[in-house]
Amino acid sequence: PPPRVKPFKGKSVHGDVELRVEQAQFSELSLAASTHGALSVSIDPARGGARRVRPDFVLVREAPEGGAGGAPRRLLAGLHLGGVPSSDPL
């Protein structure tokens, strides 16, 4: 696993819910969200292995700058609209 994922490997919350960490860049994400809380997030890395996830929390480690038409900011807004809590240490 990537270096930032290793500290979470095999860990759990309240002893029964195993943590699953996904790492992706804004350019690898797409999502659909609604005001009713419905959210679908897809990760499609260039190296293959596309997958859908339902994040419980998002840690942003990449500045949401640039991208075509401000795409990173729109992705963050969609996650917020979908009710996903997040943290931005930047």
Side-chain angles (χ1 to χ4, degrees):
R4 291 188 178 119
V5 173
K6 286 181 184 179
F8 301 100
K9 189 101 173 130
K11 303 293 186 202
S12 62
V13 178
H14 302 296
D16 59 351
V17 179
E18 186 176 339
L19 289 175
R20 182 173 163 195
V21 177
E22 297 283 347
Q23 187 171 328
Q25 297 178 3
F26 284 120
S27 61
E28 299 171 335
L29 297 176
S30 62
L31 67 83
S34 76
T35 56
H36 304 291
L39 178 70
S40 174
V41 179
S42 297
I43 302 173
D44 191 7
R47 61 193 176 277
R51 58 208 178 274
R52 287 186 186 263
V53 297
R54 172 61 174 129
D56 294 312
F57 183 81
V58 174
L59 175 65
V60 178
R61 303 270 311 170
E62 178 182 359
E65 304 295 325
R73 291 184 187 275
R74 287 197 321 269
L75 287 167
L76 289 175
L79 289 166
H80 178 71
L81 181 67
V84 179
S86 63
S87 177
D88 180 0
L90 300 174

